[in-house]
Amino acid sequence: MNIFRLFGDLSHLLAIIILLLKIWKTRSCAGISGKSQILFAIVYTSRYLDLMTTYISAYNTFMKIVFVATSYATVFLMYMKFKATYDRNHDTFRIEFLIVPAVILALVINQEFTVLEVLWTFSIYLESVAILPQLFLVSKTGEAESITSHYLFALGSYRALYLLNWVYRYYAEDHYDLIAIVAGLVQTVLYCDFFYLYITKVLKGKKLQLPA
Amino acid sequence: VPEVEEHDEL
């Protein structure tokens, strides 16, 4: 565990907490893509099946359980409890266009052709693009609430910090995992446009509004 | 074939 990884994980945790608090406090999930949240639930379910087979550390187990549980909690809040506030007319991204290629890619490019390894690889590929329905929703409505922007910034920072973690581990531990690194790069690049808007607008107290 | 390492990250 190094500082980049720790802050990456904390940033991820913060993103989830921000999102759940936003939904709970405002009793609304307006502006949030349920499609992205479903993809995240699929991602964590398929990645953390190794909870049954491999023990890494108490920290690792605890965080995995939190990520899986909160992803289902979010989906439940959006599709059941606060269903009426869900922005379904704008949340029209077709997630099969992300899931199917991720499945195919995981079957073709993986480290080992076993069920758990292919599912792990699938989850890495799918996570890299899982935010697209959310970014699509923001671009469709042309704006995002500040709290949604903070959520997206924390969520995007997590993989960016993981990139630093991988650079560190490459030099310090001679460890690298090419699949995770390439997917992590893709994932971070997808946020770049948003990061730019966040820094130039949201941090200066303005609302995140896309140019018309 | 390289040995598959455990995935110790999240």
Side-chain angles (χ1 to χ4, degrees):
Chain A
M1 175 71 88
N2 56 66
I3 192 127
F4 305 114
R5 161 111 194 256
L6 179 64
F7 278 99
D9 290 345
L10 291 179
S11 176
H12 190 183
L13 195 59
L14 179 69
I16 292 169
I17 293 170
I18 290 174
L19 180 63
L20 283 172
L21 275 180
K22 173 219 146 38
I23 297 175
W24 194 256
K25 292 271 178 192
T26 62
R27 321 297 287 173
S28 162
C29 53
I32 302 298
S33 166
K35 302 272 180 85
S36 279
Q37 298 307 319
I38 288 176
L39 291 179
F40 285 127
I42 297 172
V43 164
Y44 303 129
T45 308
S46 50
R47 185 173 314 164
Y48 298 150
L49 286 173
D50 68 353
L51 271 173
M52 324 273 182
T53 58
T54 319
Y55 178 79
I56 308 277
S57 65
Y59 169 83
N60 195 282
T61 301
F62 173 76
M63 294 296 257
K64 284 174 174 172
I65 292 171
V66 168
F67 289 158
V68 174
T70 50
S71 68
Y72 281 94
T74 310
V75 169
F76 166 78
L77 290 181
M78 294 197 66
Y79 286 90
M80 312 283 276
K81 194 162 174 64
F82 302 121
K83 192 179 169 187
T85 63
Y86 169 46
D87 222 350
R88 73 180 63 245
N89 296 332
H90 289 121
D91 193 18
T92 50
F93 197 97
R94 300 275 298 272
I95 54 174
E96 56 273 35
F97 292 155
L98 301 177
I99 295 175
V100 173
V103 169
I104 294 170
L105 205 58
L107 288 168
V108 177
I109 304 177
N110 55 60
Q111 272 195 65
E112 190 181 42
F113 200 73
T114 60
V115 173
L116 275 186
E117 189 60 25
V118 169
L119 281 170
W120 179 87
T121 312
F122 160 71
S123 84
I124 292 288
Y125 294 150
L126 187 62
E127 185 191 349
S128 69
V129 292
I131 202 60
L132 284 177
Q134 178 64 56
L135 296 177
F136 181 72
L137 173 60
V138 172
S139 75
K140 245 191 149 183
T141 55
E143 59 180 35
E145 286 176 61
S146 295
I147 189 76
T148 306
S149 303
H150 299 324
Y151 161 69
L152 280 170
F153 185 76
L155 193 62
S157 305
Y158 132 72
R159 225 44 176 177
L161 286 161
Y162 257 70
L163 290 179
L164 299 177
N165 156 58
W166 289 321
V167 171
Y168 175 87
R169 290 191 72 178
Y170 179 76
Y171 288 108
E173 302 166 26
D174 220 17
H175 167 98
Y176 73 99
D177 182 334
L178 210 50
I179 289 175
I181 292 171
V182 174
L185 268 171
V186 170
Q187 186 167 338
T188 305
V189 165
L190 291 181
Y191 283 87
C192 283
D193 191 36
F194 168 79
F195 283 154
Y196 175 77
L197 289 172
Y198 185 82
I199 291 164
T200 56
K201 294 202 169 163
V202 182
L203 288 185
K204 290 180 181 153
K206 287 184 239 167
K207 195 174 180 175
L208 192 139
Q209 217 151 15
L210 301 180
Chain B
V1 182
E3 204 180 311
V4 179
E5 287 182 55
E6 282 169 2
H7 303 295
D8 60 352
E9 292 170 343
L10 294 166

